[in-house]
Amino acid sequence: SILCILGVIYILFRLKCVLGVLLLSVLVGKIHKNHHERAVVYWTWFPCWKFLFCLLASTMGGFMGHHLWKNYWQQYSEISLLKAYRGIDPAVVPGAQIQDAGAVDFASTAGIDSEHAGCFMNAGRTYCIAPIVTNGTMLQNVGGAPRYGSYDYFAVGVDCCSCPDINFRCGAWRHPWAEGGIRSTDLEARPFYRLAVEAWASTYRKTSNHPLFFEWVDSPVAHWKSLRQNFWKFVAWSLLLWSLTTFSLGFTLARLQQALVVHGWACPSSTPPPPAGFESAWQSFLPEMMESYKESLPQRAGSTAETPDSLYGAVDTSSSSA
């Protein structure tokens, strides 16, 4: 990622230098005067569009990279460092025993109790939790509590329930065959999930010593693998779409530039010489324009010699002749 960022910075910096040299050549060197306007239009056509497209590509790439990291690769990479458990009975196994759990297939009798869920609201977002219990129903009597006396397993989600009237609709809540959870890796939401559990425990007079937060899914291991598959699928489609878009735009811009030449609004010939002091800058950042000017020198040798006065306008020195 560091190499990509450095590469983008270098490309944008070089394009900015190209545009800067062109702009200074026009403003300071007046290269657009004396019938050189069409050459200036021709040679500034692609540098301007390149800068705009690179700026757009870097902006879109940043947003896309953040989306892919947050929704796919972050959870996949973090879960890969944890362990997978099968047949966990929430009434028997305490949360402290599987703190390193990443993907958990619960016992077939386990389920989420969406009727006794909890929530916490902060900054316009609702953080939802629901206990994962035997038979998907939390009993109110003491005998219905887990053997270790603590409710440690919760299905969670953001903005998928109503608060304070709980209506838990997070993850695969409507799938009766869903029996597993993938560990929530959302560090920003985790403290608010804890606050929701504390409010839930206070409301129902329950205890939660070591709460673990899971996204309720059909198959935890399959869901974990799909994160990686969807990541690379998204990357492949994005690269393909961007390549086709870039090719189409490049072809269209080339045809537009050709149309400008045909109609006399742009011309690659009669390229003006670099203003005094800009020779090295042109050689570094405008090599094609500099090469075009050098190639036109033999043709100009037979015509009237060009001087700075003839190219960029004479300077009135009468006021200083005294």
Side-chain angles (χ1 to χ4, degrees):
S1 59
I2 296 178
L3 292 177
C4 291
I5 294 175
L6 292 177
V8 170
I9 293 176
Y10 171 77
I11 293 173
L12 289 177
F13 175 76
R14 182 169 180 81
L15 289 175
K16 286 176 64 177
C17 290
V18 171
L19 292 179
V21 172
L22 281 171
L23 184 61
L24 289 176
S25 298
V26 171
L27 296 179
V28 179
K30 308 298 183 183
I31 64 172
H32 62 290
K33 289 189 174 182
N34 288 2
H35 309 291
H36 292 303
E37 298 89 347
R38 294 185 301 165
V40 172
V41 172
Y42 181 87
W43 291 110
T44 58
W45 178 257
F46 272 109
C48 291
W49 284 110
K50 281 181 182 180
F51 178 76
L52 291 176
F53 285 144
C54 287
L55 186 62
L56 177 63
S58 60
T59 303
M60 293 182 62
F63 283 110
M64 187 176 298
H66 177 74
H67 171 77
L68 291 174
W69 167 256
K70 190 172 182 62
N71 293 281
Y72 298 102
W73 198 257
Q74 180 185 19
Q75 188 175 35
Y76 173 81
S77 59
E78 293 186 9
I79 295 300
S80 64
L81 300 176
L82 302 175
K83 294 182 179 180
Y85 290 90
R86 300 180 63 87
I88 297 297
D89 189 343
V92 178
V93 182
Q97 188 171 327
I98 58 170
Q99 287 290 314
D100 59 348
V104 175
D105 272 310
F106 291 97
S108 59
T109 56
I112 57 174
D113 187 353
S114 57
E115 300 298 326
H116 297 89
C119 63
F120 184 85
M121 298 186 66
N122 180 71
R125 306 197 71 184
T126 304
Y127 299 87
C128 314
I129 59 103
I132 302 174
V133 292
T134 302
N135 297 324
T137 303
M138 182 182 67
L139 301 179
Q140 297 298 328
N141 55 13
V142 177
R147 296 180 184 178
Y148 47 92
S150 173
Y151 290 85
D152 291 345
Y153 302 95
F154 293 90
V156 298
V158 179
D159 294 333
C160 49
C161 68
S162 56
C163 196
D165 298 327
I166 308 303
N167 189 21
F168 189 84
R169 298 292 185 270
C170 306
W173 63 274
R174 65 172 64 194
H175 298 172
W177 55 85
E179 299 175 351
I182 195 85
R183 190 76 169 267
S184 173
T185 58
D186 191 344
L187 297 180
E188 297 180 359
R190 189 171 300 173
F192 300 109
Y193 289 149
R194 292 186 180 276
L195 292 174
V197 169
E198 293 177 3
W200 172 86
S202 176
T203 299
Y204 296 106
R205 297 181 181 181
K206 303 296 182 181
T207 302
S208 181
N209 296 327
H210 301 283
L212 299 178
F213 305 122
F214 297 91
E215 297 176 10
W216 196 246
V217 296
D218 293 336
S219 175
V221 175
H223 178 81
W224 171 68
K225 292 181 179 179
S226 70
L227 292 174
R228 182 174 181 271
Q229 296 172 355
N230 291 334
F231 172 84
W232 288 115
K233 185 185 299 183
F234 200 104
V235 169
W237 277 108
S238 299
L239 292 176
L240 178 61
L241 180 61
W242 182 254
S243 299
L244 293 176
T245 302
T246 303
F247 176 80
S248 301
L249 289 175
F251 179 78
T252 302
L253 289 174
R255 295 300 297 268
L256 288 175
Q257 187 187 45
Q258 184 180 6
L260 291 176
V261 174
V262 171
H263 289 84
W265 296 335
C267 181
S269 61
S270 68
T271 304
F278 282 74
E279 292 83 359
S280 60
W282 275 40
Q283 192 66 44
S284 299
F285 299 106
L286 302 172
E288 295 180 354
M289 193 171 180
M290 189 68 172
E291 187 66 24
S292 176
Y293 165 70
K294 290 181 179 180
E295 290 177 355
S296 66
L297 287 179
Q299 300 176 358
R300 299 181 182 184
S303 61
T304 304
E306 294 180 334
T307 64
D309 288 347
S310 65
L311 288 169
Y312 306 126
V315 179
D316 185 7
T317 58
S318 60
S319 60
S320 60
S321 61

